[in-house]
Amino acid sequence: MTFQKPYISVVVPVHNEQENLEELYRRLTQVLDNLGKSYEILFTNDGSTDRSSEILKTLHHRRPTQIRVIEFNGNFGQHMAIMAGFERVRGEIIITMDADLQNPPEEIPKLVAAMEKGHDVVNAYRQDRQDHWWRRGISRLHNILRAKMMPKLQMKDEGCMLRAYRREIVDLMASTGETTTFIPALALNYAVNPTEVGVAHASRLAGQSNYNFYGLIRYNFDLITGFSLFPLQAITLIGMAVSILSFLFVMFLFMRRLIVGPEVEGVFTLFAILFFLIGILLLGLGITGEYIGRIFQEVRQRPRFVVRQVLEAESEREVVGG
């Protein structure tokens, strides 16, 4: 069997998406077939505990030369699942998307058209979002904060994973070896001619989101601590301002003691100031800890993820070995 190098590679991380995979397969292959360009689809099973693994094997057997499956031996997270796909893609245009069908596969031709105009990174922003109000609110707030803290990262919607990258950008991202990263922001660090396109957004077809409130907070920490020193710098400035104000307040109390004499009415005020200063101190320690924790993860040099097996056609394995 002769293996044809694909023009488009689609990388899809999968975690407990058994209800969506058949519909995703039908719509995604239909869109890619209609494009008339050679393609491959890489599904990364990120430690699913439902029937996702069994369904992915079935999809691979249907189209063994076009559908490949990477099986993790545990749950390593969405971005590591995408990175595993990046290490094995063979196309010139690489597209990432989620398996929940909230970003319709029918929007992929928009990204391909933008790439063929000469862009090396095509980010997408969701139009008329169908998420819960609290998720939209958190996303809107974080987009504002990110724009203030990291003005070099020009993204309207950092949470949309339907994006396209040129092969050289993907190779650079895969070579970093970072254990905690944020792929859209990392791509912009290497991009020369990025752009953005608006895409449709739909309600989740079935199942539940893998991101709860805490997961979204951790997700945003990865972006901020991975690409900005703003939190550390902000805490430093706050510490300097509080130190100056504290010194002025001490001088005020000293002068008041000399003029008015001893008094106890200000005890509760002093306690309030003390609690405020302790709060600032704990906030600073927490932010510093986030950075130190990520440094600790990097210096251990443990594998970012562990691949249990890869399902692909035998002819493709020969190409890799060569």
Side-chain angles (χ1 to χ4, degrees):
M1 183 186 297
T2 302
F3 172 68
Q4 181 184 10
K5 183 178 179 181
Y7 177 65
I8 298 172
S9 295
V10 181
V11 179
V12 186
V14 176
H15 181 69
N16 293 341
E17 297 286 359
Q18 62 180 11
E19 298 94 343
N20 299 320
L21 289 176
E22 283 288 349
E23 181 66 11
L24 172 64
Y25 165 80
R26 183 187 68 80
R27 291 170 58 181
L28 181 56
T29 54
Q30 182 178 14
V31 168
L32 295 174
D33 288 340
N34 290 339
L35 277 176
K37 304 177 187 293
S38 59
Y39 67 88
E40 65 176 357
I41 304 171
L42 284 84
F43 291 103
T44 303
N45 183 19
D46 185 24
S48 297
T49 56
D50 60 1
R51 294 182 56 252
S52 293
S53 179
E54 177 185 339
I55 296 172
L56 290 175
K57 290 179 182 178
T58 301
L59 300 182
H60 165 69
H61 289 307
R62 290 179 192 171
R63 299 196 183 203
T65 61
Q66 291 177 312
I67 295 180
R68 303 158 65 197
V69 179
I70 302 169
E71 291 275 354
F72 280 176
N73 74 341
N75 178 242
F76 293 91
Q78 179 190 42
H79 289 262
M80 289 302 100
I82 293 174
M83 278 294 184
F86 282 174
E87 290 184 356
R88 292 166 174 79
V89 293
R90 302 187 181 118
E92 293 301 317
I93 295 176
I94 292 84
I95 295 171
T96 62
M97 66 176 297
D98 291 330
D100 57 13
L101 289 171
Q102 286 195 275
N103 294 129
E106 290 77 12
E107 299 293 286
I108 287 178
K110 289 184 181 180
L111 277 65
V112 175
M115 292 293 287
E116 291 180 339
K117 290 180 180 178
H119 299 288
D120 52 1
V121 171
V122 179
N123 291 322
Y125 56 92
R126 292 166 286 188
Q127 299 173 319
D128 190 22
R129 287 186 59 176
Q130 301 300 310
D131 288 325
H132 292 296
W133 65 267
W134 64 269
R135 293 195 65 167
R136 294 197 303 270
I138 291 175
S139 179
R140 189 177 301 111
L141 175 61
H142 195 267
N143 279 324
I144 294 173
L145 292 176
R146 186 255 311 148
K148 298 294 183 182
M149 291 188 288
M150 292 168 283
K152 292 183 179 179
L153 297 180
Q154 297 295 323
M155 286 186 289
K156 290 183 181 179
D157 184 0
E158 66 200 32
C160 180
M161 289 308 297
L162 183 60
R163 301 174 188 269
Y165 309 100
R166 189 70 61 184
R167 177 61 183 269
E168 54 267 25
I169 300 295
V170 166
D171 289 342
L172 286 170
M173 289 192 286
S175 68
T176 60
E178 297 179 9
T179 57
T180 56
T181 190
F182 190 88
I183 289 173
L186 185 61
L188 287 178
N189 282 338
Y190 301 127
V192 176
N193 186 23
T195 189
E196 290 187 303
V197 297
V199 296
H201 190 248
S203 300
R204 175 178 262 273
L205 180 66
Q208 296 181 347
S209 172
N210 295 313
Y211 280 108
N212 54 23
F213 181 77
Y214 175 75
L216 289 173
I217 297 298
R218 299 299 309 170
Y219 166 88
N220 289 322
F221 275 165
D222 285 341
L223 171 60
I224 294 172
T225 58
F227 297 91
S228 175
L229 295 177
F230 180 86
L232 291 176
Q233 294 166 347
I235 285 294
T236 301
L237 293 175
I238 291 173
M240 292 173 61
V242 170
S243 296
I244 293 172
L245 292 175
S246 299
F247 175 76
L248 294 175
F249 187 65
V250 168
M251 294 300 298
F252 167 76
L253 293 178
F254 178 74
M255 297 300 296
R256 184 180 177 87
R257 175 68 177 257
L258 292 178
I259 297 172
V260 178
E263 56 183 349
V264 296
E265 289 82 358
V267 171
F268 292 107
T269 301
L270 291 176
F271 272 117
I273 294 172
L274 178 61
F275 292 152
F276 172 74
L277 294 177
I278 291 174
I280 293 293
L281 177 62
L282 292 176
L283 175 63
L285 287 175
I287 291 176
T288 305
E290 286 291 331
Y291 283 92
I292 293 175
R294 281 156 176 74
I295 294 172
F296 178 62
Q297 288 180 316
E298 295 294 337
V299 299
R300 286 184 304 181
Q301 295 185 340
R302 293 179 182 177
R304 296 185 292 175
F305 47 79
V306 180
V307 175
R308 181 163 55 87
Q309 64 175 334
V310 179
L311 302 178
E312 57 188 6
E314 290 295 330
S315 58
E316 296 179 14
R317 293 175 187 169
E318 294 172 4
V319 172
V320 174

